[in-house]
Amino acid sequence: MKCCKLGDLTVFLKPQCQEETGVCKLLSSHRIRGGESKIANTWKMKSYQKLATDIPQPTESYAEEESIDGKPPCLRKLSTWWLGVGLLMIVAGLLSGVTMWMLRQVSGSQHGQTPLEKCSAVPEPLRFDCYPERNVVVTKELCESRGCCFIERDQPLGSRSGVPWCFYPPDFPSYTLESLNQTELGMVGLLRRKVKAYYPRDIERLQLSVEFETDTRLHIKITDSTSPRFEVPLEVPRAMKKAENPVYSLEFSKEPFGLLLRRRASGAVLLNTTVAPLIFADQFLQISTILPSKFLYGLGEHRSSFLHSLDWSTLTLWARDVPPTESYNLYGAHPFYLLMEEEGAAHGVFLLNSNAMEVALQPAPALTWRTIGGVLDFYIFLGPDPNMVIQQYQQVIGFPAMPPFWGLGFHLCRWGYGTSNATWQIVKAMRNYQIPQDAQWNDIDYMEGYRDFTFDPEKFDTLPQLVEDLHKHGQYYVMILDPGISSTNPPGSYWPYDEGLRRGIFINTTQGQTLIGQVWPGLTAFPDFSNPDTYQWWLENLNRFHARVPFDGLWIDMNEPSDFKDGSVDGCSPGELDNPLYVPAVLGGSLSAKTVCASAKQSASMHYNLHNLYGLMEAKATASALIQIRGKRPLVISRSTFPSQGRYSGHWLGDNRSKWKEMYWSVPGVLSFNLFGIPLVGADICGFSGTTSEELCTRWMQLGAFYPFSRNHNTQNEKAQDPVAFGSVARTAMKEVLLTRYALLPFLYTLFHRAHLQGHTVARALFFEFPQDVITYSIDKQFLWGQSLLVTPVLEPGVDSVIGYFPRGVWYDYYTGSSLNSSGESLKMAAPLDHINLHVREGAILPTQKPGSTSWVSSGNPLRLIAALSQNASAWGDLFWDDGESLDTFERGDYSYLVFNVTQNVFTSTVLHANVEATYITVDVLSVYGVREKPSRVTVNGKENPFSYLDNQVLTVSDLNLNLSQGFSIRWL
């Protein structure tokens, strides 16, 4: 048998094989190793089977089997183990130094089977849906017309959950890999479909591109080989050379075409696409894979637990205006998943595609991507730990922007203040009770007739004075903007619409006329943010309004975009863009449900391709405008999001409800968006719609104080839920937890610096830090800030205790320093209404600050450093510090960065980089948790200093007055 040997990579395929001293022509330097998923051991598609691993490559040709044309094939069909395992062992013993593996198509095992036997042999977890359409009842006749298996189950006919009745048989036709050639970065291949698929305009010839971009990143792209198709206009890094030591190996099946990706270190199969046919039609693209475990996360935006269920569930990605509800497609689209493998490794997969999409999950475990446009453009990230996977993902989509320091303070808003004076009274009441607040927001009721770039001249006549007052008190103002621009005003009376029409920056119908929908101001046009000219129009509108109301940040809502008229006031075209043959499981059953027509024309493409990008494009234009207007870091919070949006905005989780369950849902939501590279995220504290209770709002304020983005917001015609609306007990509890947040702002700010610089998560799932602890994989009622602050909120009514899981190690009570040594166990803790449990992980040093009523006041206060000693009495931490608002301070070197260490009873502060900001700050207190014996003396920079020591092993050194810009050491003996 002849093989095509591509350097260290062995590919069995027929085309382009040339005999050269017993092997085929050298094409590549990458090695592909044999293997298959253990899940597929039970049953395989018409595929290949690994015969040997890491056995020598012979220099003499094997006995050959003639093909139909009498020539020796490069891919040989084998029905049994060739010459048996014994012969392989002999070969392995005789030869060394080169890997050889063989492929076969599993056809012999099916000889003589009836169609029913063939179909029945497919295990239920491996039945891939052949008829996923939701608008038909799938009958035996319909199913078999596609050449698929039909086996009824004990569930209602037409049910879209559970084992599919109609599924692919093992020999369903797919593509064939006809050629594979070396490129500078990897390989390029040609795929051909010999038998047409059942969707119209299936593409006969595809191009396969494989780029070994880095040792931990693989890029695989499948597209039409002859005609260009829409591709997401996202800036992605371009590899300059092929990876030299990849941690992965890749295998190919020729017929049916398939990919098998393996982690070299463990041999784990991460992807195996041979289990179901590849379909690539103009408006239906589908590819399936076996997964190495059931621990799957990501694939947003959805209301669900953090760990997805693989029990025949479908996740749809199509941006939609709807209050968060389980099983619905929500505001954003994030086709990225993280998967934890056995033994604690992790990998991630990103499909760079913006078309309407669904991801079907099944308990094999397996996953199917279905999209109705674009290309299959996959990035695979090999980690190997979950933190590294997210960093590698953000190396492709871009690291998040560094937020302004004030953006991490507490924000307050509601729809329904009614007047600027009523808004102002809330601000004054918050000050009166000295409750921390950095920003006051207004919803659409500040506008005149709900029109962008206006404010009501009667009800909000004092809005400019309110903003001026906020600025005098070191506070900030954020207002809402919707993309819909009112189109009903008399010509010449509303500049945003008149000028937009003149410049031609609105989305158009298929006939080239301005598409008119309906949103809050009535009939509206929608800016086309894919048009570069729209950026200037948007900037000019914002600049004109800023001259009247000098806002500091912008809240961009309704940017899916939302349209109260499905499609437009005139409906949509009858064409295939608005009515594709296959529609993913979108809410409303139509692509135009509560949004504009998919056929609408935009500058970069049709809305069919750009819909999921609308929020991203608006966020990019808005951040750019804010930078030009204010010359400082922008704060933009967006409802609709797409990969890379963290570069331009944060996100809030939408129009939630004032219910206990909704409070819980916010935790997996926050964790998911940290996976997506948007760490500045939070939910509406106390709930947006419905009426909250004092207990619920108190508990939610405690949780919300630890959202990376912390804002209390509610709707009109409901009771107020700001902290000053409650009695003294609840109000005091809310104030205290906000003071705790403000004390931790230096730590939180440093976490955002790491996110901006390296792609770290801010709010972090426990398994990120404890990947060997499988118990942590499903925890989404607790979370970490960074590596070291564990947050355990109360999420149930009527309780005064909470159960939290503590991974193995020593954990310290944040407030008292008392320690607990966990073997990896759940513990019940007291949780009265005025308390949220916080614990510091051993080995951490947290920079904290005396809290003030605003972040500006806090930022000038002395620091308190908390060192939580590990079991070997060491600890580490760091602090990033700058002016909190200037652009690109790290990139320009205008910052301070300090590293803190504890070793051998000595605390050291080392200044690695300094600027003038650090000279304004002093370190006043050092608290060391876990000092096992009372010291006899303490020295600061060699001079003896007073100290205190408590029975719970907490050492405190106060009144230090050490300048942050200078290194120091503190020793206890």
Side-chain angles (χ1 to χ4, degrees):
M1 177 179 178
K2 291 292 192 295
C3 64
C4 294
K5 180 164 174 55
L6 305 126
D8 286 336
L9 172 147
T10 308
V11 181
F12 286 77
L13 79 167
K14 184 174 180 179
Q16 300 186 342
C17 291
Q18 301 176 17
E19 288 191 43
E20 291 186 6
T21 63
V23 296
C24 296
K25 184 177 181 181
L26 182 68
L27 297 177
S28 173
S29 61
H30 280 268
R31 178 182 180 188
I32 296 179
R33 302 176 61 185
E36 64 188 291
S37 170
K38 64 182 181 181
I39 302 297
N41 281 338
T42 307
W43 173 87
K44 307 176 190 67
M45 290 291 294
K46 186 179 179 185
S47 181
Y48 64 82
Q49 180 174 344
K50 173 182 171 185
L51 299 185
T53 303
D54 291 337
I55 62 176
Q57 173 68 43
T59 57
E60 298 293 330
S61 62
Y62 293 117
E64 297 165 2
E65 164 185 272
E66 284 196 353
S67 62
I68 294 175
D69 60 5
K71 297 178 182 179
C74 290
L75 177 65
R76 185 177 184 183
K77 295 182 179 181
L78 300 176
S79 61
T80 61
W81 285 88
W82 181 66
L83 298 182
V85 176
L87 181 57
L88 292 174
M89 295 299 293
I90 294 173
V91 175
L94 292 174
L95 304 168
S96 62
V98 183
T99 296
M100 190 271 301
W101 54 265
M102 299 181 181
L103 307 177
R104 74 168 182 174
Q105 295 178 350
V106 184
S107 58
S109 61
Q110 298 168 0
H111 288 169
Q113 286 185 322
T114 66
L116 179 59
E117 290 173 334
K118 179 177 63 177
C119 293
S120 299
V122 181
E124 289 186 351
L126 281 165
R127 294 180 181 178
F128 290 85
D129 199 344
C130 177
Y131 219 115
E133 285 84 350
R134 285 163 177 78
N135 58 349
V136 296
V137 175
V138 181
T139 63
K140 186 173 187 291
E141 291 72 25
L142 285 174
C143 179
E144 292 181 348
S145 71
R146 292 187 170 183
C148 291
C149 299
F150 186 86
I151 298 179
E152 295 186 17
R153 293 218 357 114
D154 293 333
Q155 59 193 46
L157 182 65
S159 171
R160 304 313 307 170
S161 61
V163 181
W165 291 16
C166 183
F167 57 94
Y168 295 107
D171 55 356
F172 192 92
S174 185
Y175 285 86
T176 298
L177 177 60
E178 290 200 332
S179 66
L180 193 65
N181 296 304
Q182 179 187 16
T183 66
E184 290 185 359
L185 297 177
M187 289 170 273
V188 63
L190 180 65
L191 310 180
R192 186 165 72 90
R193 174 175 278 281
K194 300 175 182 177
V195 179
K196 280 191 169 293
Y198 46 82
Y199 284 106
R201 299 191 307 282
D202 61 330
I203 297 171
E204 180 185 356
R205 294 181 180 273
L206 301 176
Q207 177 175 292
L208 166 70
S209 171
V210 177
E211 294 186 352
F212 303 92
E213 294 194 340
T214 73
D215 289 346
T216 56
R217 185 174 81 226
L218 177 65
H219 186 189
I220 299 172
K221 184 174 177 181
I222 302 173
T223 188
D224 190 332
S225 65
T226 58
S227 301
R229 294 178 61 82
F230 175 79
E231 298 187 26
V232 180
L234 186 69
E235 296 177 7
V236 293
R238 299 298 179 189
M240 303 306 294
K241 65 176 183 177
K242 188 184 300 183
E244 296 179 354
N245 298 294
V247 301
Y248 48 85
S249 61
L250 187 62
E251 303 164 15
F252 296 92
S253 168
K254 179 198 172 187
E255 187 173 12
F257 165 72
L259 299 164
L260 191 146
L261 179 68
R262 184 185 296 275
R263 185 182 297 281
R264 286 188 182 275
S266 65
V269 175
L270 311 184
L271 298 176
N272 180 355
T273 69
T274 67
V275 293
L278 167 66
I279 297 179
F280 201 119
D282 183 39
Q283 289 184 278
F284 186 89
L285 291 72
Q286 176 177 277
I287 190 168
S288 301
T289 181
I290 290 291
L291 301 172
S293 86
K294 62 182 180 180
F295 300 110
L296 181 79
Y297 312 84
L299 298 173
E301 179 177 9
H302 297 96
R303 166 65 58 83
S304 71
S305 58
F306 187 46
L307 173 64
H308 284 301
S309 168
L310 303 190
D311 189 18
W312 303 104
S313 60
T314 299
L315 302 171
T316 306
L317 282 66
W318 183 248
R320 167 67 192 239
D321 171 9
V322 61
T325 305
E326 294 92 315
S327 80
Y328 288 180
N329 50 296
L330 301 183
Y331 310 108
H334 292 272
F336 166 81
Y337 71 76
L338 170 75
L339 189 136
M340 290 299 295
E341 305 158 27
E342 294 181 3
E343 301 179 356
H347 72 274
V349 176
F350 171 41
L351 173 54
L352 181 51
N353 181 296
S354 60
N355 289 91
M357 180 188 308
E358 64 188 15
V359 184
L361 307 175
Q362 60 194 75
L367 174 152
T368 297
W369 299 91
R370 295 190 195 105
T371 183
I372 59 172
V375 301
L376 297 177
D377 191 0
F378 289 101
Y379 289 85
I380 301 98
F381 311 99
L382 276 292
D385 68 64
N387 289 291
M388 295 180 70
V389 169
I390 302 307
Q391 292 175 53
Q392 292 156 11
Y393 174 45
Q394 291 176 88
Q395 287 170 1
V396 170
I397 64 171
F399 295 131
M402 186 68 183
F405 193 64
W406 64 268
L408 304 184
F410 178 63
H411 303 248
L412 190 56
C413 184
R414 80 165 299 173
W415 180 18
Y417 284 127
T419 68
S420 52
N421 285 337
T423 309
W424 206 341
Q425 287 304 313
I426 295 296
V427 174
K428 292 176 179 178
M430 291 284 286
R431 291 177 192 158
N432 182 55
Y433 286 107
Q434 296 183 309
I435 300 173
Q437 181 190 2
D438 261 81
Q440 180 61 51
W441 297 41
N442 276 124
D443 208 318
I444 58 174
D445 49 327
Y446 81 88
M447 299 177 183
E448 183 178 18
Y450 297 142
R451 293 189 295 275
D452 280 351
F453 314 114
T454 69
F455 66 92
D456 190 311
E458 296 180 2
K459 296 179 180 178
F460 280 81
D461 58 318
T462 58
L463 184 58
Q465 291 76 33
L466 164 60
V467 175
E468 181 182 6
D469 178 67
L470 288 168
H471 291 166
K472 286 180 178 178
H473 286 84
Q475 295 173 300
Y476 299 84
Y477 181 68
V478 180
M479 66 183 194
I480 194 172
L481 282 177
D482 295 339
I485 300 297
S486 175
S487 62
T488 58
N489 300 278
S493 65
Y494 185 48
W495 192 86
Y497 178 72
D498 293 338
E499 190 64 15
L501 203 62
R502 187 185 72 80
R503 299 188 192 186
I505 56 86
F506 294 122
I507 294 176
N508 288 330
T509 65
T510 53
Q511 290 77 34
Q513 303 299 313
T514 299
L515 185 146
I516 300 299
Q518 181 177 329
V519 203
W520 296 113
L523 300 182
T524 54
F526 298 89
D528 176 9
F529 288 103
S530 76
N531 184 345
D533 294 339
T534 306
Y535 279 52
Q536 182 62 31
W537 169 86
W538 193 244
L539 169 63
E540 290 176 25
N541 277 289
L542 287 169
N543 211 4
R544 288 159 60 100
F545 190 74
H546 190 268
R548 303 171 65 198
V549 180
F551 55 85
D552 303 289
L554 288 169
W555 171 21
I556 49 177
D557 191 11
M558 309 288 288
N559 56 349
E560 292 72 32
S562 177
D563 183 357
F564 298 164
K565 295 285 188 181
D566 290 355
S568 75
V569 293
D570 299 316
C572 297
S573 76
E576 58 192 14
L577 293 180
D578 291 307
N579 304 278
L581 185 63
Y582 185 82
V583 179
V586 299
L587 178 63
S590 167
L591 297 184
S592 63
K594 209 171 182 182
T595 191
V596 303
C597 299
S599 61
K601 293 182 179 180
Q602 295 188 235
S603 173
S605 186
M606 311 304 291
H607 192 74
Y608 183 89
N609 296 319
L610 299 177
H611 173 81
N612 281 339
L613 300 174
Y614 194 88
L616 167 64
M617 291 178 169
E618 186 191 17
K620 189 175 181 179
T622 304
S624 173
L626 272 174
I627 290 171
Q628 293 180 70
I629 292 168
R630 298 182 70 246
K632 299 175 182 179
R633 279 178 231 164
L635 179 76
V636 180
I637 299 297
S638 174
R639 191 167 75 178
S640 188
T641 58
F642 190 80
S644 81
Q645 193 146 337
R647 298 171 61 187
Y648 312 106
S649 83
H651 173 64
W652 96 104
L653 296 174
D655 296 340
N656 59 2
R657 306 163 188 85
S658 297
K659 296 182 179 180
W660 288 91
K661 187 70 171 180
E662 299 271 331
M663 178 168 56
Y664 154 70
W665 286 126
S666 71
V667 179
V670 166
L671 293 176
S672 291
F673 272 87
N674 273 264
L675 301 187
F676 301 148
I678 307 177
L680 188 63
V681 59
D684 282 346
I685 296 171
C686 302
F688 172 71
S689 64
T691 301
T692 192
S693 67
E694 185 168 281
E695 181 190 11
L696 172 59
C697 199
T698 302
R699 293 301 194 189
W700 209 327
M701 282 290 294
Q702 290 168 346
L703 168 61
F706 294 92
Y707 293 153
F709 167 63
S710 182
R711 183 187 70 165
N712 180 314
H713 176 48
N714 72 326
T715 189
Q716 60 183 351
N717 303 321
E718 296 289 353
K719 291 194 306 182
Q721 61 187 35
D722 51 82
V724 298
F726 296 97
S728 61
V729 173
R731 184 177 63 245
T732 301
M734 295 176 186
K735 174 181 177 180
E736 288 302 314
V737 77
L738 288 176
L739 288 171
T740 300
R741 177 186 179 90
Y742 274 63
L744 285 160
L745 283 181
F747 175 57
L748 181 61
Y749 193 61
T750 301
L751 293 179
F752 269 96
H753 168 68
R754 292 185 197 158
H756 170 63
L757 189 64
Q758 298 170 315
H760 289 201
T761 54
V762 174
R764 188 171 302 175
L766 271 66
F767 72 79
F768 271 57
E769 294 301 315
F770 302 93
Q772 302 297 326
D773 186 346
V774 179
I775 294 175
T776 63
Y777 290 11
S778 60
I779 291 177
D780 59 8
K781 294 183 178 180
Q782 295 171 276
F783 58 94
L784 293 159
W785 268 12
Q787 295 178 314
S788 49
L789 185 66
L790 177 62
V791 182
T792 307
V794 172
L795 302 173
E796 299 174 356
V799 300
D800 59 5
S801 63
V802 65
I803 295 175
Y805 181 75
F806 290 84
R808 180 180 296 274
V810 178
W811 296 86
Y812 297 91
D813 185 296
Y814 168 77
Y815 307 100
T816 68
S818 296
S819 65
L820 64 89
N821 194 338
S822 174
S823 59
E825 55 198 306
S826 295
L827 299 173
K828 185 176 183 180
M829 298 169 284
L833 189 59
D834 62 352
H835 183 75
I836 181 171
N837 279 276
L838 304 175
H839 288 83
V840 184
R841 184 182 177 186
E842 64 170 304
I845 299 177
L846 305 187
T848 72
Q849 198 161 31
K850 181 181 177 181
S853 57
T854 67
S855 64
W856 173 251
V857 173
S858 294
S859 66
N861 288 341
L863 295 178
R864 176 196 177 202
L865 305 177
I866 300 174
L869 299 185
S870 67
Q871 295 176 69
N872 64 3
S874 64
W876 184 93
D878 62 345
L879 173 65
F880 176 83
W881 202 250
D882 60 11
D883 67 7
E885 62 178 10
S886 294
L887 295 164
D888 303 323
T889 57
F890 177 79
E891 291 77 4
R892 294 185 291 103
D894 191 14
Y895 67 94
S896 294
Y897 181 71
L898 297 87
V899 169
F900 309 117
N901 264 296
V902 175
T903 53
Q904 298 180 341
N905 295 349
V906 179
F907 180 101
T908 58
S909 174
T910 305
V911 181
L912 298 184
H913 195 280
N915 74 336
V916 67
E917 296 297 328
T919 64
Y920 305 141
I921 308 300
T922 60
V923 176
D924 189 49
V925 178
L926 170 66
S927 295
V928 186
Y929 298 167
V931 178
R932 296 174 186 173
E933 296 181 359
K934 181 178 180 179
S936 59
R937 64 192 182 97
V938 171
T939 62
V940 178
N941 291 333
K943 297 181 179 179
E944 197 160 333
N945 204 84
F947 66 93
S948 66
Y949 181 83
L950 301 178
D951 291 342
N952 63 349
Q953 300 184 341
V954 175
L955 169 67
T956 302
V957 188
S958 304
D959 301 321
L960 292 170
N961 197 31
L962 297 168
N963 194 280
L964 188 63
S965 65
Q966 299 176 2
F968 60 85
S969 64
I970 300 175
R971 180 187 300 269
W972 53 96
L973 303 171

